[in-house]
């Protein structure tokens, strides 16, 4: 392909890895013009329902829409605390211990938030929300500052979370193993450009694996 337009909508948390894939793709196909829309899961589902983009990238695909989904990368959820927190050095923390902790969580409409609420419901444990924030970075700063614990995708973390004064807690049932999915409307014929990007994603997924150690 020499030229064309590719429209991708991806949830907020994918900003930690999607650009790393788009760079090499653009280098290989310089004539392709890419629009990447970064929104939370609810906004992304609206775009999907209105058929606004070629491809969608998200962690929690909807059951209610007629879509094809393909997992391409791990997306584990981890519990984070400030390094100085009393749970930070404990091993095998029971899930029920989270009931007493205040949480700083993503906004309603986020896939992360949806999963956290589902998991607490499954464990029948009350979820105490002290603060909602729409940004993964702001949440990490709030947690490092002592406002509470959080649960976020590991994609948001640097190889050494201690750099940000954060500790990954060893809570029973965590990390919650999930995936990143590329999603498309089942009825929609993919453009040549979109199909090329999908093939590129499949063959270059190793570019997205977390880098080991410090840069
Ligand atoms: P979010 O989605 O950025 O809307 O929270 C992330 C996910 O579903 O893992």
């Amino acid at each position: 392909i020499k030229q064309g337009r590719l429209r991708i909508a991806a949830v907020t948390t994918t900003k930690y890895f999607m650009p790393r894939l788009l760079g090499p793709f653009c280098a290989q196909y310089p004539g392709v013009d890419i629009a990447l829309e970064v929104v939370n899961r609810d906004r992304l589902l609206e775009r999907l329902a209105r058929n606004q983009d070629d491809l969608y990238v998200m962690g929690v695909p909807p059951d209610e829409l007629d879509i094809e989904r393909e997992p391409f990368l791990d997306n584990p959820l981890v519990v984070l605390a400030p390094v100085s927190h009393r749970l930070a050095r404990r091993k095998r923390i029971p899930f029920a211990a989270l009931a007493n902790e205040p949480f700083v969580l993503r906004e309603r409409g986020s896939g992360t938030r949806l999963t956290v609420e589902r998991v607490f419901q499954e464990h029948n444990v009350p979820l105490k929300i002290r603060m909602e924030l729409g940004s993964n970075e702001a949440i990490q700063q709030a947690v490092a500052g002592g406002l509470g614990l959080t649960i976020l995708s590991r994609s948001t973390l640097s190889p050494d979370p201690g750099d940000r004064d954060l500790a990954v807690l060893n809570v029973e049932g965590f990390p919650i193993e999930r995936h990143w999915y590329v999603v498309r409307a089942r009825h929609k014929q993919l453009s040549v450009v979109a199909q090329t990007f999908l093939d590129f994603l499949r063959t270059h997924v190793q570019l997205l694996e977390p880098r080991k150690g410090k840069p």
Side-chain angles (χ1 to χ4, degrees):
I1 54 169
K2 287 219 163 48
Q3 56 190 25
R5 189 167 172 76
L6 175 63
R7 299 196 73 96
I8 304 174
V11 291
T12 319
T13 307
T14 64
K15 74 170 189 189
Y16 297 91
F17 59 86
M18 278 307 282
R20 291 226 306 273
L21 193 69
L22 294 177
F25 181 77
C26 290
Q28 193 162 333
Y29 302 100
V32 174
D33 176 22
I34 299 182
L36 173 66
E37 198 68 42
V38 180
V39 290
N40 76 13
R41 180 177 182 273
D42 269 10
R43 299 282 90 73
L44 185 137
L45 294 188
E46 286 168 17
R47 295 184 69 88
L48 176 56
R50 284 197 224 109
N51 195 14
Q52 282 180 282
D53 309 276
D54 300 304
L55 296 168
Y56 302 83
V57 183
M58 67 180 92
V60 191
D63 290 327
E64 64 277 13
L65 297 176
D66 191 20
I67 54 165
E68 280 181 30
R69 67 189 77 192
E70 183 176 325
F72 65 94
L73 190 67
D74 290 343
N75 179 19
L77 279 188
V78 294
V79 187
L80 296 173
V83 271
S84 55
H85 196 277
R86 66 192 154 70
L87 292 178
R89 254 163 263 109
R90 266 184 69 184
K91 295 260 182 283
R92 299 169 59 82
I93 303 161
F95 193 99
L98 300 182
N100 304 317
E101 299 295 330
F103 274 84
V104 182
L105 287 183
R106 284 285 304 280
E107 77 287 2
R108 276 178 189 272
S110 125
T112 310
R113 172 71 174 264
L114 181 70
T115 311
V116 171
E117 286 183 347
R118 281 182 184 163
V119 171
F120 273 73
Q121 260 167 25
E122 277 163 25
H123 283 82
N124 214 5
V125 164
L127 175 58
K128 210 192 306 174
I129 300 175
R130 176 179 278 175
M131 190 186 275
E132 279 185 3
L133 289 168
S135 143
N136 294 313
E137 288 84 35
I139 289 175
Q140 292 185 15
Q141 294 299 333
V143 169
L147 278 171
L149 307 186
T150 194
I151 297 176
L152 289 179
S153 166
R154 196 186 287 154
S155 306
T156 65
L157 294 178
S158 65
D160 182 3
D163 288 350
R164 290 192 169 181
D165 298 327
L166 295 171
V168 177
L169 296 190
N170 188 343
V171 179
E172 166 196 34
F174 283 88
I176 296 174
E177 298 301 342
R178 307 190 308 149
H179 293 94
W180 288 114
Y181 294 85
V182 61
V183 168
R184 61 185 167 120
R186 196 187 299 277
H187 57 85
K188 186 166 172 171
Q189 166 99 42
L190 279 189
S191 68
V192 176
V193 174
Q195 185 61 54
T196 306
F197 180 76
L198 195 54
D199 293 340
F200 187 89
L201 179 72
R202 291 174 182 139
T203 51
H204 290 71
V205 73
Q206 78 283 354
L207 295 175
L208 305 177
E209 303 289 352
R211 283 157 295 166
K212 302 273 185 301
K214 291 188 185 176

